[in-house]
Amino acid sequence: MHSASVVSPSAPSVALPIATSPVVRPHSSEVLQLLDDPQEWSAFSRPSPQGGDCWESSVVIEGMHCAACSLTVEDALSRVPGVISAQVGAASHRAKVVWSASRVHPSAWMQAVQDSGYRAVPANDMFASERRKLETRQALWRWLVAVLCMMQVMMYAYPAYIAHPGDLSTEMEQLLRWASWVLTLPVILFSCGPFFKNALRDVTQARISMDLPVALGMLITFAVSSAGTFDPQGTFGHEVYFDSLTMFVAFLLTGRWLELRLRDRTAGALEALMNRLPDSVERLGADGQFERVAVRRLVVGDVVRVHPGETFAADGVVEQGDTLVDEALLTGESRPLARGVGAQVLSGSHNLNSTVQVRVQCVGSDTRFAQIVALMESASASKPQAAQLADRLAKPFLVAVLVAAAGACAWWWSYDPGHALMVAVAVLVVTCPCALSLATPAAMLAAAGALARGGVMVRRLQALEALAAVDTLVFDKTGTLTRDAMVLGTVDVRAGWDANQALAMAAALAQHSLHPVSRAVCAAARARADGQTGSAGQWTCEAATESAGQGVRGTVRGGTSAADVADHDLRLGSAVFCGIAPEVVPGLRVYLSDARGWLATFGLQEDLRPEAKAVVAALAADGVTVHMLSGDQPESVARVAVLAGIGHAQGGCSPDDKLVLLRQLQVSGHTVAMVGDGLNDGPVLAGANVSFAFGQAVPLAQAQADFVVLGDRLMSVVQALRLSRQALRVVRQNLWWALLYNAACVPLAIVGLLPAWLAGLGMAASSLVVVVNALRLARNVPILESH
């Protein structure tokens, strides 16, 4: 027993039956066939962008533990006729399956996953979280049994460590061995159960995963120690290794349990978002009474009642009541927003204040919530390039581990068979490709989750790798650096008239028009009225006539005092509409005229976002050169460039011109990111190395961008850039750690200098260090940290 004497090694939820064990239990074929009903597909699938009868499904793969597992599931799915493509994320345990409805049904490819030893469940399965909690609880129980038995076995092993020759009688040493054997049985039969079951699955299906070498190591150690216990005078009788066995099992289960908890935290943003929709909602019936119905039964035009604390189940318009809503995960806006009659509410947002009635405008996959979930699901199932390489190396690496263990055992066998087997165990246990496979996706998923909480959706994890290398960033102007609305710049008036008075008269006319110029005039008049010390008088216009695209005219009544009230026939609009000779001047001009002719000229300009200059300065501090390309007049573009501090700007660009200029930058050796509004920048967004679609008007499901900014904060671009660079640093740290760990520990194990218990500790720690290091990215990253 003296183990120290010899050094040794958008939708509604889908409900599927709850598993009663963390071991994967198959669904019956009848249950899977329920998902073949096309009416059920929308709960976990959506039409694929490939068109035709192709569908794209998002599912969670249960029972996975390593990169080799993800490759096994991908292979099983790809072999199913009718499955066009399959991607499985080893870190997120999520799969994206594209399949043809005319060639295969969901039950067929889900059955293929089940036949490979795993289980595919819809990503929004209402019982998925319950099964995950159950798995975590049972993993904790297995760990507790292993740790308790380890402490007892170590207590029985301790006398052998400190005893001198003759201190322990043969009977006492044999009694301690039998006690250790009995205490190791619960560890082997209960705590190690999942490892043996997964290894048996690998053997019967002629494949390999990380559980196979681990299970072999456990089995060899227990067999050698049992042989030494039952036959003390035999080949393996001089020493037993129950303490090493229970110790490395406890260490390994510690790492697995913590990794499970940390993975749930990493995927927390996606889970929090997907689980926001309620299962049912109160709908107004034909009899005028509200009845509770399933969310999937809602149709456009229904009226639903949403109480405080509940979540809006569909996009719609408030018809009755006033409340505050929380849209933090949908738009990035952290403050509660007021929503009254006529205001839009988004599916997935929380009602905070009072009961409201909402008329449904969009349901299911048409809602903004469903589009955001689709973006996050796509990102969670995608694989960065470094992760794809690590996954391809996982299986050959495991084969090499088995060969190395067999070679080490053969080399040491002539010296000491017992020691030879324990050296093989150390090699089997210490070599861990999990750390290498998790190095990249764990960091990228943590970064994507942090960005999602800030209102930036990542479409592809590969984009984070590319963004970290960006040295040039190109902004579109309208709707990106500037707001959609116009603002008043200059006011010129006829002699004898006051600018505020002319603006108030123009606003009286403009209030009868919804044109953006009219809204800008009204907004400027209100702002001046609130801030001025004098009085521009009271001006009203009871009726006005608008000529589309030209202007508005009407009779404005008022004056600067009660004694000066008069009627004025006014026109507000273009120079031609107002009877004024057109001017050739840069920028937008709107004119006000009366019976005598020209009265005032209002110069309008785009409203530069307040943070634009700070964003450009922050990008410059990060070593990024900023360009601006716009289709607007060069004079307007130059003015915005000066205000924002951009040194490279060009106006009058068509979408094709922008693409040509972008290509020129790339040919010059620059890695270019494009930031546009996503509406008319499709070609240049697709052509850039990395692209951002900016603005809430973007149709998310059709956007060409790699990143979609849900809110209106330009600083989100800087945040994404800095977080991507930090994520790449973490990836490099993880890869170096994984490589150095294997390079250092494998030779030590082969030459017999690494005991089994220390090998188990190293294996558990290697994966845990990678995941914990990646979780640093999930913390809030300061947007404007000093450089």
Side-chain angles (χ1 to χ4, degrees):
M1 176 160 216
H2 189 50
S3 55
S5 61
V6 178
V7 181
S8 57
S10 30
S13 301
V14 174
L16 293 177
I18 299 179
T20 57
S21 169
V23 179
V24 177
R25 294 194 173 186
H27 294 311
S28 66
S29 58
E30 292 81 4
V31 172
L32 290 179
Q33 288 172 1
L34 294 176
L35 299 178
D36 290 343
D37 184 353
Q39 294 184 352
E40 300 290 340
W41 293 353
S42 62
F44 62 97
S45 308
R46 56 185 173 275
S48 173
Q50 299 182 20
D53 63 348
C54 295
W55 286 74
E56 184 179 295
S57 298
S58 179
V59 293
V60 174
I61 306 299
E62 297 184 345
M64 281 180 31
H65 297 290
C66 64
C69 296
S70 69
L71 293 179
T72 298
V73 176
E74 282 186 359
D75 292 342
L77 287 168
S78 300
R79 287 195 297 266
V80 177
V83 172
I84 299 171
S85 66
Q87 279 189 320
V88 182
S92 63
H93 292 200
R94 291 180 177 272
K96 182 175 70 174
V97 186
V98 179
W99 48 281
S100 171
S102 61
R103 299 176 57 197
V104 68
H105 284 143
S107 62
W109 52 263
M110 286 190 177
Q111 185 66 46
V113 175
Q114 180 174 305
D115 292 341
S116 67
Y118 304 91
R119 179 166 61 177
V121 297
N124 55 350
D125 180 1
M126 67 170 63
F127 295 135
S129 61
E130 294 297 326
R131 283 195 298 272
R132 191 167 57 250
K133 291 178 182 177
L134 180 63
E135 180 184 3
T136 303
R137 284 198 301 270
Q138 295 220 353
L140 181 60
W141 274 111
R142 294 181 191 278
W143 173 78
L144 288 172
V145 169
V147 170
L148 179 62
C149 292
M150 176 198 71
M151 291 189 294
Q152 297 300 314
V153 170
M154 288 299 296
M155 182 177 68
Y156 293 136
Y158 183 69
Y161 283 94
I162 63 173
H164 297 287
D167 288 350
L168 281 179
S169 65
T170 303
E171 293 78 7
M172 178 58 68
E173 185 175 358
Q174 188 64 14
L175 177 62
L176 293 176
R177 288 188 177 190
W178 275 104
S180 298
W181 183 82
V182 171
L183 287 169
T184 305
L185 281 178
V187 178
I188 291 293
L189 298 178
F190 178 65
S191 298
C192 299
F195 298 105
F196 292 136
K197 289 183 174 67
N198 293 336
L200 181 61
R201 176 196 63 198
D202 291 341
V203 171
T204 56
Q205 298 192 12
R207 63 168 188 257
I208 188 171
S209 72
M210 193 59 233
D211 284 338
L212 181 58
V214 170
L216 280 175
M218 295 173 179
L219 191 60
I220 292 172
T221 306
F222 184 71
V224 169
S225 300
S226 297
T229 301
F230 285 93
D231 185 11
Q233 305 305 319
T235 303
F236 306 108
H238 68 284
E239 189 169 7
V240 295
Y241 304 93
F242 295 118
D243 52 344
S244 294
L245 172 61
T246 54
M247 192 177 297
F248 83 69
V249 169
F251 288 149
L252 183 58
L253 290 178
T254 300
R256 283 274 175 103
W257 184 76
L258 290 175
E259 187 180 328
L260 182 66
R261 294 295 303 271
L262 294 173
R263 189 181 71 236
D264 288 343
R265 284 185 56 189
T266 303
L270 178 58
E271 294 293 334
L273 190 61
M274 290 184 61
N275 295 330
R276 288 173 76 90
L277 283 189
D279 296 319
S280 62
V281 67
E282 292 185 6
R283 182 178 64 182
L284 183 64
D287 58 355
Q289 301 296 317
F290 284 93
E291 59 178 350
R292 187 161 289 277
V293 298
V295 169
R296 70 176 66 188
R297 296 185 179 276
L298 289 181
V299 297
V300 175
D302 282 347
V303 175
V304 296
R305 183 167 62 188
V306 183
H307 298 288
E310 294 182 345
T311 302
F312 293 97
D315 292 353
V317 177
V318 177
E319 289 206 336
Q320 181 178 321
D322 296 280
T323 189
L324 295 174
V325 299
D326 175 12
E327 296 181 355
L329 280 179
L330 302 175
T331 65
E333 176 57 63
S334 59
R335 296 170 300 176
L337 303 175
R339 293 291 184 262
V341 174
Q344 292 274 347
V345 291
L346 296 177
S347 170
S349 59
H350 280 302
N351 183 12
L352 301 177
N353 197 18
S354 59
T355 301
V356 293
Q357 293 183 20
V358 177
R359 184 169 296 277
V360 175
Q361 290 184 322
C362 296
V363 296
S365 60
D366 295 330
T367 64
R368 188 173 181 83
F369 170 83
Q371 295 167 2
I372 293 173
V373 168
L375 291 180
M376 298 186 71
E377 287 177 342
S378 176
S380 66
S382 64
K383 292 185 179 181
Q385 294 179 356
Q388 294 176 15
L389 176 62
D391 288 355
R392 286 194 297 269
L393 294 176
K395 285 189 176 181
F397 183 87
L398 289 173
V399 172
V401 167
L402 296 178
V403 173
C409 182
W411 175 266
W412 285 96
W413 189 266
S414 59
Y415 168 73
D416 183 347
H419 179 63
L421 288 174
M422 294 310 297
V423 168
V425 168
V427 174
L428 290 171
V429 173
V430 77
T431 50
C432 180
C434 293
L436 194 61
S437 299
L438 287 173
T440 299
M444 294 303 180
L445 280 174
L451 288 175
R453 288 191 293 273
V456 180
M457 297 293 109
V458 183
R459 289 177 63 89
R460 290 173 287 273
L461 291 183
Q462 297 93 323
L464 283 167
E465 292 178 287
L467 181 60
V470 162
D471 60 8
T472 303
L473 192 141
V474 178
F475 278 108
D476 180 40
K477 180 176 69 69
T478 306
T480 305
L481 286 173
T482 63
R483 300 183 189 274
D484 295 331
M486 308 291 289
V487 294
L488 182 65
T490 60
V491 181
D492 297 319
V493 296
R494 182 194 299 162
W497 284 79
D498 178 69
N500 291 337
Q501 184 181 13
L503 183 60
M505 295 170 67
L509 267 180
Q511 66 182 350
H512 294 277
S513 171
L514 296 178
H515 193 278
V517 170
S518 298
R519 293 202 297 268
V521 170
C522 291
R526 286 194 298 270
R528 292 207 178 188
D530 293 339
Q532 70 185 10
T533 56
S535 175
Q538 297 295 323
W539 301 91
T540 60
C541 180
E542 298 297 335
T545 303
E546 183 174 11
S547 298
Q550 299 182 40
V552 60
R553 62 183 177 181
T555 300
V556 176
R557 181 177 179 83
T560 56
S561 65
D564 193 28
V565 174
D567 293 335
H568 299 267
D569 293 326
L570 301 178
R571 289 184 175 224
L572 177 68
S574 65
V576 174
F577 179 75
C578 294
I580 302 170
E583 296 179 281
V584 182
V585 292
L588 177 61
R589 296 288 186 271
V590 61
Y591 301 90
L592 180 68
S593 66
D594 60 8
R596 294 174 54 190
W598 173 78
L599 179 59
T601 300
F602 305 103
L604 298 177
Q605 59 192 29
E606 291 178 295
D607 185 16
L608 185 70
R609 295 183 184 272
E611 72 272 28
K613 189 170 184 178
V615 167
V616 173
L619 290 170
D622 289 338
V624 177
T625 303
V626 179
H627 293 248
M628 181 171 61
L629 302 177
S630 176
D632 280 2
Q633 298 176 5
E635 296 84 359
S636 177
V637 173
R639 184 189 65 84
V640 172
V642 171
L643 292 176
I646 297 175
H648 307 276
Q650 186 166 336
C653 299
S654 67
D656 290 339
D657 294 334
K658 294 180 182 179
L659 188 57
V660 169
L661 292 168
L662 185 78
R663 296 294 188 205
Q664 291 176 356
L665 290 171
Q666 292 173 327
V667 170
S668 301
H670 296 289
T671 303
V672 184
M674 177 69 193
V675 183
D677 60 12
L679 298 176
N680 57 3
D681 294 321
V684 70
L685 288 175
N689 300 95
V690 187
S691 53
F692 288 80
F694 203 90
Q696 294 190 355
V698 178
L700 297 180
Q702 302 172 5
Q704 297 291 326
D706 301 303
F707 298 87
V708 177
V709 182
L710 300 179
D712 59 355
R713 294 191 309 122
L714 269 180
M715 197 58 73
S716 297
V717 176
V718 181
Q719 183 181 17
L721 175 68
R722 293 180 176 176
L723 194 58
S724 69
R725 291 180 175 180
Q726 185 177 353
L728 199 61
R729 288 195 295 270
V730 169
V731 167
R732 292 194 184 105
Q733 293 167 3
N734 286 347
L735 288 174
W736 275 110
W737 159 254
L739 291 172
L740 291 175
Y741 162 78
N742 283 285
C745 293
V746 173
L748 290 176
I750 291 176
V751 300
L753 297 179
L754 194 70
W757 66 268
L758 189 56
L761 176 60
M763 179 187 177
S766 63
S767 297
L768 197 59
V769 166
V770 165
V771 177
V772 171
N773 192 33
L775 277 179
R776 295 191 297 117
L777 297 167
R779 293 179 295 186
N780 293 327
V781 179
I783 296 176
L784 285 175
E785 55 186 2
S786 59
H787 287 258

